[in-house]
Amino acid sequence: MGKIISIVNQKGGVGKTTTAINLGAALAMFKQKVLIVDYDQQSNATIGLGINRDDILFDVSDFFTHIGLLRRAIISTKIDRLDIIPSSIKLANIEESLYMVENKEYLLKKKLDMIKDEYDFILIDCPPSLGLIVDNALFASDSVIIPVECGFYAYDALTQMINKIDKIQNQKNIDIEGILLTKLDNKNTLGYEIVEKVQFLFPEKIFKTIISRSSHIQEAPLYGQSVLTFSFNSRGSKEYRSLAKEILENNTIKGKGK
């Protein structure tokens, strides 16, 4: 059975979409079948993987308004073993329409459970929010990755996200796959102070891999590519491959313990 992982943080610009794209590409490179769910109305994961929005017939928002469109919304990317369910601006109108729906928190879960066994990993690229859309992603997920930028406001956003997940855990089982430190600037001492603080406060939850600030990571989406495709030997590519290995190793260990 596949594992569903939400990539979440209510703060924007911390590397959620970057992580969804590049972690997805790295897992696919390691022979995993991966689906990315672009769950943000900005559609950055869709665009970043080279999908032309004009070519999209169905997207993630159609799950909530049409029956039976799940598989028709899945698009193959240029990367072997990596698919995506795209997003569009239509998603912006969904949240308001869901408030009167019964069991509204479980709508995405019901859809993804139908295809969960067809993938090794399903990665949900969440919007910078703590609203109903993100609740849907969390209730659909087995675990979460929380990207945290190595910057001034990182800790406050992280604690809010941890509190949100604690509340969800009262209703369903959901693990913290890991806290991922991102955008570390080797020339900025503040970044290392954030790393030390997060490592001290959450030693059991933090990934060993840290994603550095990288021009290759920033440039790759402009060409509709992951950093692994754009510049395989770059530092950013190596770091995301390291993250993928870490996740695969962690899940193998967990599996042996069951």
Side-chain angles (χ1 to χ4, degrees):
M1 179 178 287
K3 185 168 192 179
I4 302 178
I5 304 175
S6 277
I7 302 173
V8 292
N9 191 322
Q10 77 278 14
K11 188 177 184 299
V14 299
K16 293 187 294 295
T17 299
T18 297
T19 296
I21 291 173
N22 293 306
L23 174 59
L27 288 169
M29 189 196 76
F30 290 126
K31 310 300 183 185
Q32 304 297 298
K33 180 68 174 172
V34 182
L35 174 67
I36 293 175
V37 180
D38 189 347
Y39 208 38
D40 190 340
Q41 67 190 53
Q42 297 178 81
S43 310
N44 288 337
T46 302
I47 298 166
L49 281 169
I51 307 296
N52 188 334
R53 283 182 290 186
D54 294 334
D55 295 334
I56 297 171
L57 295 177
F58 304 108
D59 64 31
V60 69
S61 66
D62 291 310
F63 291 179
F64 303 107
T65 54
H66 298 82
I67 297 173
L69 292 183
L70 181 59
R71 284 180 175 79
R72 295 181 69 183
I74 297 173
I75 297 175
S76 298
T77 71
K78 297 175 183 177
I79 299 171
D80 289 341
R81 295 178 292 276
L82 179 63
D83 296 339
I84 186 169
I85 295 176
S87 179
S88 75
I89 193 62
K90 291 188 293 182
L91 190 60
N93 301 318
I94 292 298
E95 186 160 352
E96 184 177 348
S97 66
L98 293 181
Y99 277 101
M100 300 304 291
V101 177
E102 187 177 359
N103 296 321
K104 52 186 173 290
E105 295 89 354
Y106 294 92
L107 294 174
L108 184 63
K109 174 179 171 55
K110 291 177 181 177
K111 295 291 184 176
L112 295 182
D113 280 351
M114 296 168 60
I115 58 170
K116 189 174 182 178
D117 291 346
E118 299 174 24
Y119 291 92
D120 297 300
F121 290 93
I122 297 177
L123 306 178
I124 306 177
D125 178 25
C126 293
S129 165
L130 289 176
L132 182 57
I133 287 292
V134 171
D135 282 351
N136 253 258
L138 294 176
F139 275 96
S141 298
D142 301 302
S143 65
V144 297
I145 292 172
I146 309 174
V148 177
E149 182 181 4
C150 296
F152 182 72
Y153 296 106
Y155 176 69
D156 184 54
L158 174 59
T159 53
Q160 289 183 51
M161 197 69 244
I162 295 288
N163 290 337
K164 174 76 168 181
I165 293 165
D166 285 342
K167 292 178 181 178
I168 298 292
Q169 285 174 329
N170 292 329
Q171 302 175 68
K172 69 154 293 189
N173 291 326
I174 183 169
D175 297 325
I176 295 178
E177 191 76 26
I179 297 167
L180 176 65
L181 291 163
T182 64
K183 299 186 177 182
L184 177 63
D185 186 346
N186 295 323
K187 299 178 182 178
N188 188 343
T189 58
L190 173 63
Y192 287 100
E193 290 175 9
I194 295 295
V195 170
E196 290 178 0
K197 187 172 185 178
V198 176
Q199 287 175 335
F200 175 76
L201 292 169
F202 304 100
E204 302 299 322
K205 294 187 171 85
I206 195 166
F207 284 115
K208 295 176 184 176
T209 303
I210 297 175
I211 307 300
S212 305
R213 195 174 289 276
S214 161
S215 60
H216 291 107
I217 289 176
Q218 292 176 317
E219 290 175 35
L222 299 176
Y223 299 91
Q225 297 180 32
S226 73
V227 71
L228 282 77
T229 307
F230 180 71
S231 181
F232 183 78
N233 292 317
S234 67
R235 180 173 60 187
S237 171
K238 292 175 182 177
E239 288 170 349
Y240 273 108
R241 280 180 277 149
S242 173
L243 176 63
K245 288 180 181 178
E246 194 172 343
I247 288 172
L248 289 171
E249 289 170 0
N250 288 345
N251 280 279
T252 299
I253 291 170
K254 290 176 185 177
K256 287 180 179 178
K258 291 181 180 179

